[in-house]
Amino acid sequence: MSTKSRLHIPHPSARPGDKPDFSYLNLAPAGSADKPSIDAKPRDIEHLSMNLVRVLDDEHRAQGEWNPNLDPEKLQVGLRWMLLTRVFDERLWQIQRQGKISFYMESKGEEAVSIAQGMALRAGDMCFPSYRNTGLYLYRGTKLVDMMNQCLSNTKDMCKGRQLPVLYHNKEANLFSLSGNLGTQYPHAVGWAMASAIKGEDHIAASWLGDGSTAEADFHHALTFAAVYQAPVILNIVNNQWAISTFQGFAGGERRPFAARGIGLGIPGIRVDGNDFLAVYSATLWAADRARRGGGPTVIEHVTYRGGAHSTSDDPSKYRPKDEWASFPLGDPIERLKKHLIAEGHWSDEQHIEVIEEYRVKVGAAWKEAQKFGTMTDGPFLDPAGMFDDIYAEIPEHLVKQRQQMLELES
Amino acid sequence: MSTKSRLHIPHPSARPGDKPDFSYLNLAPAGSADKPSIDAKPRDIEHLSMNLVRVLDDEHRAQGEWNPNLDPEKLQVGLRWMLLTRVFDERLWQIQRQGKISFYMESKGEEAVSIAQGMALRAGDMCFPSYRNTGLYLYRGTKLVDMMNQCLSNTKDMCKGRQLPVLYHNKEANLFSLSGNLGTQYPHAVGWAMASAIKGEDHIAASWLGDGSTAEADFHHALTFAAVYQAPVILNIVNNQWAISTFQGFAGGERRPFAARGIGLGIPGIRVDGNDFLAVYSATLWAADRARRGGGPTVIEHVTYRGGAHSTSDDPSKYRPKDEWASFPLGDPIERLKKHLIAEGHWSDEQHIEVIEEYRVKVGAAWKEAQKFGTMTDGPFLDPAGMFDDIYAEIPEHLVKQRQQMLELES
Amino acid sequence: MAQMNMIEAIRSALDIVMEKDPNVVIMGEDVGYFGGVFRCTDGLQRKYGEHRVIDAPIAEGGIIGATIGMGLNGLRPVAEIQFADYIYPGFDQVVSELARIRYRSAGEFFSPVTIRTPCGGGIRGGQTHSQSPEAIFTHISGIRVVMPSNPYDAKGLLISAIESDDPVVFFEPKRIYNGPFDGDPEKPAVSWASHPKGEVPRGYYTVPLGSADVVEEGSELTIITYGTLVHVAQAAAALVGVNAEIIDVRSLSPLDTTTLTESVKKTGRCLIAHEATRFSGFGAELVATVQEECFFHLEAPIERVAGWDTPYPHAFEWQYFPGQKRLAAGIRKVMEAQ
Amino acid sequence: MAQMNMIEAIRSALDIVMEKDPNVVIMGEDVGYFGGVFRCTDGLQRKYGEHRVIDAPIAEGGIIGATIGMGLNGLRPVAEIQFADYIYPGFDQVVSELARIRYRSAGEFFSPVTIRTPCGGGIRGGQTHSQSPEAIFTHISGIRVVMPSNPYDAKGLLISAIESDDPVVFFEPKRIYNGPFDGDPEKPAVSWASHPKGEVPRGYYTVPLGSADVVEEGSELTIITYGTLVHVAQAAAALVGVNAEIIDVRSLSPLDTTTLTESVKKTGRCLIAHEATRFSGFGAELVATVQEECFFHLEAPIERVAGWDTPYPHAFEWQYFPGQKRLAAGIRKVMEAQ
Ligand SMILES: Cc1ncc(C[n+]2csc(CCOP(=O)(O)OP(=O)(O)O)c2C)c(N)n1
Ligand SMILES: Cc1ncc(C[n+]2csc(CCOP(=O)(O)OP(=O)(O)O)c2C)c(N)n1
Ligand SMILES: [Mg+2]
Ligand SMILES: [Mg+2]
């Protein structure tokens, strides 16, 4: 075999020990992207997939056409939910480290995606999230204690002990059940949206997946079906630069932004500063309005950074610089919205610390409450007989028999 | 359920009884497309995926930068191979209608794709064709009688009776084995090309699939892997407007040409007049050179028309106008090259008829020959014992036993 | 009552359910304007519109994924996969999603998709148009697997499948679409008109999921089979001249174990037959179940007759196919063993 | 000789084969720079370069499809699928292509891909990180299916798999990556260092594909099993105090029928155990094969002990897992039956 390989291998800009380098991100200044009307032809707005929708500038002021001009109260609400998400994540991470839950995944650094989008969508819109949309579950009203019960697989677990921690669902709140399989929810969102269109309703669907997951077949199926039937759906790609240990270049992100993935099918793409609450909100509202008025699907790429480890099973110091997040040019979505509100005179550092404190207490109280319903080590425990339910609408004979056998063995 | 559905359903421009209408094809005049250098950046040549590379104009003259300036002799060779393909197809179709083979698929109207590309590639380049690349198998030297033996599943069948007619292969000629499953060969081509790059060789790979098949997962996988590793591969999409009964709009072709499918991944796309031998040749050479010099993959969309039925099992008069092909603005690739050669003074109607006659005789003789090795109804017959071979490198015990049982039952 | 072949029976089932429930939609390759390559949906788009009988992109994974989403939004989708050989690109959506949604969401979400797909040999389709992959699906808890053997059952089971809140993979043996086939390739094809189960009520009726059918009562031997082989088994039993009890499994999963084991307990001998390849085929589960329950009643080893462990070769359909001769040999072997 | 756990043994196999044959390449998610989420490829990219140990996009179908193409071009690829639960998106490429290329091209083309994938429970991974889908693959003719139960076999079998011109799906029971597990969740984990099969030659050796291993000789009962359950079976037999012959199938397909049936003919009783769900699990084929060959030697019905026909629930790993108690109950049942 010849030794001169010509295979291109993507390389992250920095590995452990290197200086973080985000020069590969093509960042536009805040306010520079134009905002087309929602009935613009995909062909005429292709540049939005290459550009970057940003509202908050370096002085923390809102700029340009995409400024959603939200009331300060609404922004405070957003900030609070992001903070709650962060506090919740921190606590649950800690709880996992103490061995009280088996596993956890946090969304640190990506809170704006869940909260700003949650606020821009309507309650009747159906969400098909990924495991990094914790904020969405919170914002749409899933109780802290219910989320914790799920992570504990305890007697009040919404999943009846069947799912890994964080794989929540909330039917009432139109939040689909999370899957461990990457990307599988994307075509569901499209099918749901198609059904909405078939029924003549104006609900839309939205789904989320990571940069890495765009390589999966379901991504392609979802985009194709969405384009063919002009399904009213928002297809979010949360580009947090990493997929476990692999840099987004391994998902094909080196040459074109992920937002451009649909343009070959005629699906408009918006590349948005995913850590800019205002920009995310605004882009989502645009895509939602477009979809609702029959304009079909939009791909939104959120440029963000996975602030933490992939999961509690991961150790990112093995494959990326420890301080990479600190150097991320789009910063931290919470800090940015906080500074914006402070700059506008609608928030203060004191308030901020207070709210965090308030949430710590709240989360702590919820944790106390949750433990009452059982933990991995202490009862009450879920009845294992339940593991045979819900496989079919009604339990069939062979499972009745197996349940019987299991109970006999356990007793 | 509300009755007002907002689901978009693609519609072909004409159904049986309607007047054919190809106004949806965005046709550029011959010679209008610019020809970039092979090291052009994908971003700078995106327009090639929207435009249309055409060389032959309405007066049958070669125009513009993409004119490959081929010797008349070479063009005659191309014309002859296209004619042979057509004559072969016609005869085999007839043979199927007579009940002598079980099934057939012709490539009528798409011969330029196989022959011009076959000629533009090098012998060491590996091809992963679709079932509509009959010309490629012929051009690369598969004997007529061998192709017929395959269609007959007879004692000389290269597939030993295992495959449906037309699912040929030719290892020596670097033609991969055809699959009944759509699109599965696409990632193979990419993997083959990656191996070539790994080994530092300059062979490239090429693959073909139809407009309809672009919706399959393998299409996405192939494009993604090709983009990530910059594999030296040409990914051809043969857009013949139909996928059995469904119009290419059902594969997402309504809003953007298929050539644009890779641009979101940074893969350049060339939309080419698939019935223009010169244009196809030229685009292929460009992409092959680019790949060979380390420039990575290219998507080529061939705009053509499926002149015949999908297969012998199909009746297109049920779903499209009978005379649609006759109205196809890009005509018939054979007629067009013929007229070009005649216009240039290198061919004549007489010669043309003569060659057809010669090929009819040749094909007829091959058919006579082939039948000697057995037909569906007349021996010699393949030994059914062979059905247990080649499942594994060596036949395992259980298959020896099953073979034994089968032979006992058959005797 | 009307005379229907299996295609007509399936079409009639679809028609009736669509008429009855506006939430039923059909999606698949070539199912709409064209009416399906096997004509099972012929006329339905004209009757119910393009928004209920939907031509799909060629992406089996997409079809299954999208119909799951529709089902989550209150529709009751019927997906057609053109050939069972092409269901594999959608396999992940079936196993990881369709089969699991109800379970993982503790009953909150479910999607009642029915996947129809023609299986088995019979059109000289070679290795990629002849497969019978049902065994694979029976290993997946959370989906129902059904395969009818005649027009009457096809219609009744399909209506049940679509109306069921469980996902169903519904295999249609294409060899018997137009008429029963007794396994002798030399004989001319017969039509369903001559078969009692070709008499099909025009209106609504159901055949329950999860119940096997005793096609012929007998005392000497139980033949457990399904799909095309039901007819072959009948012919082979007649050929050998054995008084066989022939059971059509119909619902492969969940399985009606009782009907099977009661019969074997009575006859003491058992042959299991299917067209799919033998190794780890569904016959293996049937053998395992029967021997577990009926061991002390068995007078001979349970015999399996199945497709060989090879792909389905174009030239050797008849050598591959477990026809009368092979079944007859199997029957003799079971009858002679002692 | 060295002490190795199963991860180290697998890594050693890869290292040795890569050293020996420059055509061996590895491709998978996180396998390169990072060395794999289970560390099986740790250090190999540093040693053999980025062009031989290749990080892949997250597309299992793409990984299998691309490695097939590499194999067609003379390389000998080892694909890693991060969890067996995620092999389904690549299922079509395995069934329709990898398994069939040699057959359909009458031996002209083949692609010797080995697919490694961790399976089974053991990391509290819930229903999507715990599956054992081996049965499904055993139904596909043209691929070999292997599952080792210890470091020695893992290395020897993996070398054989990679060197084989047949495609192999190589399942690695993740529960025993770090040490044998006897099925009692209450006991502390042991390490391979205490197990004779944790002694692994540093260099090249092979364990042949297609041969089962008699782990323990015995006379009263044959236990046929593989993977993690080999160890559970040993413990359960000891618990019951039965003189069991324990067979580790190792190569599930093609299957070493002789070793299995000879043992059952000798003992007259048989228990079959696996972690995968029971219905249409590989145990069904084992039962069917054994009863076909050994019927007249059997003194009791063959008993299957397996995972329940449910997904693998996060909270109930231990109720789902066929542990010592369940196997012991199965053994008693087989021993008491008459
Ligand atoms: C089908 C499938 N393949 C592989 C995995 C294992 N896995 C879990 S998360 C992950 C990385 C996903 O990266 P990305 O899509 O970028 O999402 P992120 O974690 O960055 O939010 C992988 C490979 C999986 N869960 N499902
Ligand atoms: C995976 C798969 N799904 C479905 C089919 C059935 N089928 C065979 S050809 C065909 C249409 C293909 O259309 P296109 O890709 O445009 O190619 P063309 O026939 O027009 O050349 C279909 C649906 C198949 N062979 N494989
Ligand atoms: Mg990511
Ligand atoms: Mg086509």
Side-chain angles (χ1 to χ4, degrees), chain B residues 105-106 110 130-132 179-184 209-214 216 218 238-246 248 251 306 309-311, chain C residues 29-30 37 58-60 81-83 85-87 89 128-129, chain D residues 92:
Chain B
M105 297 181 99
E106 59 176 354
E110 306 177 27
S130 92
Y131 49 74
R132 244 181 262 291
S179 177
N181 304 66
L182 296 172
T184 46
L209 52 62
D211 45 302
S213 305
T214 58
E216 289 285 9
D218 286 318
V238 184
N239 176 4
N240 63 6
Q241 315 306 318
W242 291 93
I244 310 184
S245 76
T246 54
Q248 47 101 346
R306 197 190 76 208
H310 172 71
S311 74
Chain C
E29 295 158 18
D30 302 292
V37 297
I58 304 174
E60 293 74 13
I81 300 299
Q82 205 163 76
F83 286 89
D85 314 64
Y86 304 138
I87 201 167
T128 57
H129 298 86
Chain D
D92 186 49

Side-chain angles (χ1 to χ4, degrees), chain A residues 6 46 214 220 256 292, chain B residues 6 46 197 214 220 256 292:
Chain A
R6 298 184 307 148
E46 265 180 23
T214 59
H220 178 61
R256 275 291 185 295
R292 232 181 284 283
Chain B
R6 298 184 306 148
E46 266 179 23
T214 58
H220 178 61
R256 276 288 185 295
R292 233 180 283 285

Side-chain angles (χ1 to χ4, degrees), chain A residues 245 318-319, chain D residues 7 11 14 29-46 53 55 80 116:
Chain A
S245 76
K318 287 226 169 89
Y319 52 80
Chain D
I7 292 169
R11 197 188 298 141
L14 293 168
E29 296 158 17
D30 303 292
V31 299
Y33 187 89
F34 187 56
V37 297
F38 290 105
R39 325 299 309 140
C40 289
T41 57
D42 194 25
L44 296 177
Q45 185 180 79
R46 236 169 303 132
V53 184
D55 278 313
E80 177 178 307
R116 290 182 41 244

Side-chain angles (χ1 to χ4, degrees), chain B residues 61 72 76 338-348 351:
Chain B
R61 301 289 180 175
Q76 287 172 355
K338 170 187 149 194
K339 287 190 176 141
H340 172 61
L341 277 168
I342 291 175
E344 303 275 314
H346 300 297
W347 197 250
S348 69
Q351 255 177 304

